Amino acid sequence: MATDYDRPRVESKDESLDILGPGRNSAQAAVADVEESDTAESFELPGADLSGEELTVRVVPRQADEFTCTRCFLVQHRNRLADSAESICMDCA
Ligand SMILES: [Zn+2]
């Protein structure tokens, strides 16, 4: 009686492991989607006091040793400048 009862329990354990694998991957993809759209709201964690965080995490304007690529419009460091005449980064060159 006891041995018959144990066998199906081992099989169901393997099934739950298979479900965990792809489930964790899709959860990570969902987090990536949230970061692209609305980061400010997703950082509001329940119970966490983030009232002082806005002062330390701020958007820094373009620095003197950086440039804005005229094709992808990303601010990049000067050593990634491929064409100084047109301000094009190495990714777009
Ligand atoms: Zn670029």
Side-chain angles (χ1 to χ4, degrees), residues 67-74 76 80 87-93:
F67 71 99
T68 306
C69 175
T70 53
R71 291 196 185 176
C72 65
F73 300 105
L74 289 176
Q76 311 226 23
R80 303 225 349 113
S87 294
I88 296 175
C89 73
M90 287 177 159
D91 292 333
C92 297

Side-chain angles (χ1 to χ4, degrees), residues 21-44:
R24 285 161 75 183
N25 287 341
S26 62
Q28 286 177 346
V31 170
D33 286 340
V34 169
E35 283 179 351
E36 279 182 28
S37 55
D38 227 341
T39 19
E41 285 189 8
S42 64
F43 281 171
E44 298 261 343

Side-chain angles (χ1 to χ4, degrees), residues 3 7 17 29 36 49 55 82:
T3 47
R7 279 186 66 191
L17 282 177
E36 279 182 28
D49 183 17
L55 293 175

